[in-house]
Amino acid sequence: MSHQLSFTELIEYDPGQPSITIPITLSVSHTRVNCDAKVDTGSSNCIFARSVGRIGTRYRDGLRLLVGTVTGTFVAYLHEVNLSLASFEFSSLVGFAEDKEFQRNVLGRRGFVEQIVLGLVDYEGKLYLSRYVE
């Protein structure tokens, strides 16, 4: 049996790097922050470094979330922001890590993967995307 998908966007990334890293923009109102984020379909949430939260949110005003990882737990605060990449922009609930030492930006299932259709050809560094519509 054969299945076919179609995509509206192609984002190329460096397949020689240890993760799939793509450029994104987070915004609240008129404040925008550009950063790189790692696509992580195994992550339940989108989590960003606390420094990325300088887009007009006071990070502790968000909903407190205890995030569990294979190495332990950490605290993040959830905020609704606009997430943009390629030609897409959508509202997402993302977390900003409490710990200043947390320096990763991760695009997880809630807030990112749930809003798109994703195709991946890792050997070629190609990430295909379309907006998910029911």
Side-chain angles (χ1 to χ4, degrees):
M1 176 185 263
S2 175
H3 300 280
Q4 187 173 359
L5 295 171
S6 62
F7 300 95
T8 58
E9 295 291 333
L10 168 63
I11 298 175
E12 297 191 66
Y13 64 93
D14 183 352
Q17 295 299 311
S19 60
I20 300 167
T21 304
I22 60 175
I24 65 158
T25 301
L26 296 179
S27 62
V28 172
S29 189
H30 297 292
T31 306
R32 304 171 70 81
V33 172
N34 297 315
C35 63
D36 288 335
K38 299 173 184 316
V39 176
D40 185 351
T41 60
S43 176
S44 297
N45 297 285
C46 295
I47 305 290
F48 291 87
R50 182 169 147 186
S51 61
V52 175
R54 66 183 185 271
I55 55 176
T57 61
R58 292 189 316 193
Y59 80 97
R60 284 196 178 180
D61 286 348
L63 179 64
R64 188 175 190 274
L65 174 70
L66 187 61
V67 180
T69 72
V70 70
T71 60
T73 60
F74 65 91
V75 173
Y77 292 90
L78 297 173
H79 292 268
E80 189 170 348
V81 302
N82 291 319
L83 191 150
S84 305
L85 70 149
S87 68
F88 301 124
E89 182 169 342
F90 37 80
S91 177
S92 294
L93 192 62
V94 306
F96 297 105
E98 179 177 57
D99 186 350
K100 289 181 184 179
E101 301 302 313
F102 185 93
Q103 293 300 312
R104 289 193 168 219
N105 300 318
V106 176
L107 296 170
R109 293 179 62 205
R110 289 187 199 96
F112 177 66
V113 175
E114 68 186 1
Q115 299 194 62
I116 61 167
V117 177
L118 182 144
L120 178 65
V121 182
D122 193 47
Y123 287 107
E124 297 177 11
K126 295 185 180 195
L127 181 67
Y128 296 92
L129 302 172
S130 285
R131 184 177 295 275
Y132 176 73
V133 289
E134 292 184 52

